[in-house]
């Protein structure tokens, strides 16, 4: 193994995404050969002893890529400060230290990817990649073509952030609600809910059905499966 940046080495060890690895380094949680190193670009190789929080880490060889159909009432973090159930409680029998690629809210269901490949996670989460995510939502309120157009033109959320062009399509009209399909290319915190709220149509429930061309398909809620090689490649190519 050639020398590589410390940040990448930690991502390759399956400890965290590249971004998170940078945070850990800057927070002073990483030592190389028993010396504290705070530079993410610091070069390291196989012979260096890299420790994160005092524990040695090795670049992990076997990469694991999983899709989970997350039910509501699970947090999509590895641990929860309030001891709620985490998505990892649903993925049994996987030895590798996997973690979720991005987040779904506690009360959002649907497609969540998990991996130990920091490069893969980094690629999918990086805002510059603008990967399309598809959601199906049940919303209240009244929808008209003006509101649907607002989704395409961009909506102000979080006081001053204008969302990039998104799509909203009505799948079904119910007595007091609509079932809609929403496609966005960003991943701001609670973005779909905030966008729907902004047009006066609060979300009652939300499910992610696809990331790029990867669809949740018939995978039952609470179940997971490994991605195929082709699926991983397809996501890498996005
Ligand atoms: N948008 C939301 O509002 N919540 C999610 O969990 C994902 C996208």
């Amino acid at each position: 193994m050639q020398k590589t940046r410390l940040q990448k080495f930690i991502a390759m060890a399956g400890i965290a995404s590249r971004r998170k690895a940078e945070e850990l380094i800057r927070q002073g949680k990483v030592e190389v050969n028993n010396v504290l190193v705070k530079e993410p670009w610091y070069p390291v190789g196989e012979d260096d002893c890299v420790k994160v929080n005092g524990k040695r880490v090795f670049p992990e060889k076997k990469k694991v890529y999983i899709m989970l159909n997350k039910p509501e009432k699970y947090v999509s973090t590895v641990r929860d400060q309030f001891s709620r159930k985490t998505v990892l409680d649903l993925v049994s029998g996987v030895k590798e230290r996997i973690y979720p690629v991005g987040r779904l809210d506690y009360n959002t269901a649907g497609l969540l990817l998990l991996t130990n490949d920091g490069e893969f996670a980094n690629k999918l989460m990086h805002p510059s990649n603008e990967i399309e995510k598809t959601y199906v939502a049940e919303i209240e309120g009244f929808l008209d073509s003006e509101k649907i157009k607002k989704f395409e033109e961009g909506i102000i959320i979080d006081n001053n952030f204008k969302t990039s062009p998104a799509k909203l399509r009505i799948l079904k009209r119910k007595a007091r609600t609509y079932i809609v399909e929403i496609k966005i290319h960003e991943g701001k915190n609670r973005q779909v809910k905030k966008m729907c709220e902004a047009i006066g149509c609060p979300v009652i429930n939300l499910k992610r059905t696809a990331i790029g061309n990867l669809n949740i398909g018939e995978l039952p809620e609470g179940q997971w499966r490994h991605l195929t090689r082709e699926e991983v490649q397809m996501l890498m190519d996005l």
Side-chain angles (χ1 to χ4, degrees), residues 128-151:
S128 66
N129 286 326
E130 298 184 353
I131 293 171
E132 182 173 85
K133 287 153 212 122
T134 307
Y135 295 85
V136 171
E138 181 165 12
I139 58 174
E140 286 179 315
F142 175 71
L143 263 183
D144 58 20
S145 54
E146 274 303 299
K147 291 184 176 181
I148 293 174
K149 212 162 103 204
K150 277 194 182 156
F151 256 73

Side-chain angles (χ1 to χ4, degrees), residues 4-202:
T4 184
R5 292 159 60 100
L6 182 56
Q7 177 187 6
K8 188 169 173 194
F9 186 99
I10 294 172
M12 282 161 66
I15 304 301
S17 67
R18 262 214 231 180
R19 233 185 302 171
K20 183 80 191 158
E22 180 176 351
E23 255 173 65
L24 291 169
I25 298 165
R26 293 203 191 276
Q27 286 165 356
K29 298 194 171 153
V30 178
E31 282 169 41
V32 180
N33 304 326
N34 296 321
V35 177
L36 190 70
V37 173
K38 285 193 161 182
E39 292 82 27
W41 43 261
Y42 190 86
V44 283
E46 232 160 28
D47 297 335
D48 291 308
C49 171
V50 176
K51 288 185 186 166
V52 177
N53 287 322
K55 210 167 148 206
R56 182 152 188 197
V57 300
F58 300 88
E60 196 139 358
K61 298 238 161 41
K62 185 175 170 220
K63 303 273 190 253
V64 180
Y65 307 91
I66 282 171
M67 71 145 75
L68 168 73
N69 187 347
K70 175 194 172 302
E72 290 181 10
K73 300 197 168 49
Y74 279 81
V75 286
S76 50
T77 47
V78 173
R79 254 170 259 106
D80 183 51
Q81 53 173 328
F82 305 114
S83 305
R84 291 175 294 184
K85 288 178 284 187
T86 81
V87 288
L88 287 189
D89 293 328
L90 296 164
V91 187
S92 53
V94 177
K95 293 193 305 296
E96 290 77 14
R97 265 174 306 171
I98 52 170
Y99 52 86
V101 179
R103 301 256 187 282
L104 284 178
D105 296 337
Y106 183 64
N107 57 0
T108 299
L111 177 57
L112 185 69
L113 300 175
L114 298 112
T115 187
N116 61 348
D117 182 349
E119 293 294 300
F120 175 81
N122 192 50
K123 169 127 212 272
L124 286 188
M125 285 193 292
H126 203 279
S128 66
N129 286 326
E130 298 184 353
I131 293 171
E132 182 173 85
K133 287 153 212 122
T134 307
Y135 295 85
V136 171
E138 181 165 12
I139 58 174
E140 286 179 315
F142 175 71
L143 263 183
D144 58 20
S145 54
E146 274 303 299
K147 291 184 176 181
I148 293 174
K149 212 162 103 204
K150 277 194 182 156
F151 256 73
E152 277 156 29
E153 289 168 351
I155 293 175
I156 304 290
I157 58 169
D158 297 338
N159 294 324
N160 58 4
F161 178 81
K162 186 167 185 209
T163 58
S164 66
K167 285 196 192 112
L168 186 153
R169 184 164 72 92
I170 299 175
L171 299 179
K172 192 170 173 186
R173 188 165 185 177
K174 304 217 301 198
R176 313 180 90 238
T177 61
Y178 299 86
I179 309 291
V180 294
E181 182 191 74
I182 291 170
K183 288 181 186 281
I184 61 172
H185 293 89
E186 296 150 319
K188 292 267 169 224
N189 187 27
R190 300 184 64 251
Q191 181 161 343
V192 172
K193 290 176 192 158
K194 286 175 184 167
M195 289 173 79
C196 291
E197 258 158 43
I199 59 160
C201 296

